[in-house]
Amino acid sequence: MIFLARRSRLRSVFIGFIALLFISPALASNTSAEPVASAIALYEQGDLDSAEAAFKALQQSQPDAQWHYYLGRIHEQRGDLETAASYIEEAAAMDDTQSLYFQKLGEYYGTMAGQASFLKQMRLAKKSKSSFERAVELDGSNLDARSGLLTYYLQAPGIAGGSVEKAEAQAIEIGNQDSARGHFAMARVLAHRGDHDGAEREYRKALEEAPANSDTWIAFGVYLTSEERYADALSLYRQRLEAESDDIGVTYQFGRTASISGLELEEGRRAFIRYTTEFQPGPENPGLDWAHYRLGLIYAQLDDPQAAAREYRQALAINPDHPEAKKALKKVE
């Protein structure tokens, strides 16, 4: 069971919203606003090293659960989920009333479970489930937590509490609070059941009700790609980009589907060049290492092995442990 904690755009929380959520009047009265704003700005800009130093300084001068939370998010973006979880566990121990803390723990434990041995996997899965449940208990309007719980119910085996019926119940509750997100959630349930017509219908309803929601365009396109409906996925992404050319997530996914399918390779190449040169991917977006790797796949299909090798090396320069780039580079050298 692998949750898209880093790149799960489906359960992500906007950074600006988080900043507003956490800078409470009580905090402002006890801590200078300038260091807080500076630390948050560094985090938003992606300067993780400087942000980490700033939050640790705040932690020393004014211990607070919020600094542990941010330090956890910093380590999440570095891919170190164990350290991220330890920080947010401390945050939750200091303040056990924050639904968001337990939501993030549910995501981290779920992702780590997918990479663990069987016995450890079961323990982490149990912790993931209980964390999501606690997040929903604390705040029933936390739809990201409900979405995480829905994902758990769909992906976990029955012995670990998985249940399509419980996932559907979460989708219905999400829909009671947000109709568009409810259609999105129900699409995932129907896709899991193999009701592909129903899933497509729900995705389209979600888009009709919230056409500006990039996550829905991406999720629907990824679903179509998983069904090997590559031309339909590319057409869907193109429709979105015609309306919003700077949608960074859809730009990446267009290139990804082109690299997988071999269709629209030149357009996919241009999409990745834009992604790597014109955009600044945030923590919720796929990393530049993946973009360069997939651009390399496109060049390989365009019979340009030198350009492909260049992109694979660039991916490895960003992430020396990128397993797919290593394999791909060996093939073209």
Side-chain angles (χ1 to χ4, degrees):
M1 177 188 60
I2 300 178
F3 288 58
L4 301 182
R6 177 190 64 78
R7 352 275 91 66
S8 189
R9 292 168 356 298
L10 300 182
R11 300 188 301 277
S12 65
V13 179
F14 290 109
I15 294 171
F17 172 77
I18 294 171
L20 292 174
L21 176 66
F22 284 128
I23 303 177
S24 65
L27 173 63
S29 65
N30 293 325
T31 307
S32 170
E34 184 175 347
V36 174
S38 176
I40 292 173
L42 290 167
Y43 175 81
E44 291 178 341
Q45 294 162 10
D47 187 350
L48 300 185
D49 291 342
S50 298
E52 180 178 23
F55 283 119
K56 284 186 174 180
L58 285 168
Q59 187 181 55
Q60 291 177 352
S61 63
Q62 183 73 36
D64 195 288
Q66 298 165 51
W67 317 144
H68 289 280
Y69 168 81
Y70 274 109
L71 288 166
R73 292 303 303 274
I74 287 168
H75 283 278
E76 172 195 332
Q77 291 168 45
R78 290 172 174 161
D80 184 358
L81 293 188
E82 289 193 14
T83 303
S86 67
Y87 270 116
I88 297 187
E89 285 168 352
E90 292 177 18
M94 295 174 72
D95 182 357
D96 63 1
T97 67
Q98 295 293 332
S99 176
L100 182 59
Y101 297 167
F102 291 95
Q103 172 202 325
K104 296 307 297 182
L105 287 174
E107 294 171 2
Y108 296 162
Y109 295 144
T111 300
M112 290 190 291
Q115 305 165 355
S117 62
F118 177 75
L119 292 178
K120 191 174 181 181
Q121 186 178 63
M122 294 300 291
R123 180 175 62 81
L124 287 168
K126 183 177 179 180
K127 291 176 71 173
S128 177
K129 178 173 176 285
S130 63
S131 295
F132 280 131
E133 289 173 338
R134 178 60 175 158
V136 171
E137 179 184 348
L138 285 169
D139 182 4
S141 67
N142 183 343
L143 300 188
D144 290 326
R146 286 192 181 277
S147 295
L149 192 54
L150 180 150
T151 300
Y152 180 90
Y153 288 143
L154 289 181
Q155 295 186 348
I159 194 174
S163 166
V164 180
E165 291 73 22
K166 289 182 178 180
E168 184 175 12
Q170 288 300 319
I172 291 170
E173 182 54 40
I174 290 169
N176 290 338
Q177 299 187 44
D178 185 321
S179 179
R181 288 191 68 166
H183 288 302
F184 180 97
M186 191 59 71
R188 298 175 59 205
V189 174
L190 293 175
H192 185 84
R193 284 179 167 157
D195 183 354
H196 302 300
D197 290 341
E200 181 170 352
R201 182 178 62 251
E202 292 296 322
Y203 274 126
R204 293 196 182 281
K205 285 182 179 179
L207 286 177
E208 288 174 8
E209 293 189 15
N213 189 331
S214 178
D215 286 349
T216 307
W217 290 95
I218 292 170
F220 188 18
V222 169
Y223 168 71
L224 291 171
T225 299
S226 72
E227 291 297 303
E228 299 185 2
R229 293 174 57 185
Y230 303 123
D232 289 338
L234 292 169
S235 177
L236 182 80
Y237 292 142
R238 191 179 289 111
Q239 180 183 348
R240 169 60 176 168
L241 291 171
E242 287 173 355
E244 184 55 65
S245 62
D246 289 336
D247 188 321
I248 181 174
V250 171
T251 298
Y252 178 90
Q253 293 300 332
F254 189 102
R256 173 181 177 271
T257 300
S259 74
I260 292 170
S261 66
L263 301 175
E264 308 292 355
L265 289 174
E266 189 58 39
E267 198 171 350
R269 183 185 71 84
R270 291 196 298 270
F272 276 132
I273 288 175
R274 284 201 72 202
Y275 192 86
T276 56
T277 61
E278 297 181 26
F279 294 130
Q280 182 60 50
E284 72 280 7
N285 303 124
L288 289 174
D289 54 338
W290 280 99
H292 283 289
Y293 161 69
R294 291 200 171 277
L295 180 54
L297 294 180
I298 287 177
Y299 277 123
Q301 293 176 79
L302 290 170
D303 295 323
D304 190 343
Q306 290 185 334
R310 181 187 67 234
E311 296 301 325
Y312 297 146
R313 291 191 187 99
Q314 183 61 38
L316 290 169
I318 297 169
N319 177 9
D321 296 322
H322 196 294
E324 300 302 324
K326 286 182 179 179
K327 294 176 185 177
L329 183 58
K330 288 181 180 178
K331 290 181 180 179
V332 296
E333 282 185 330

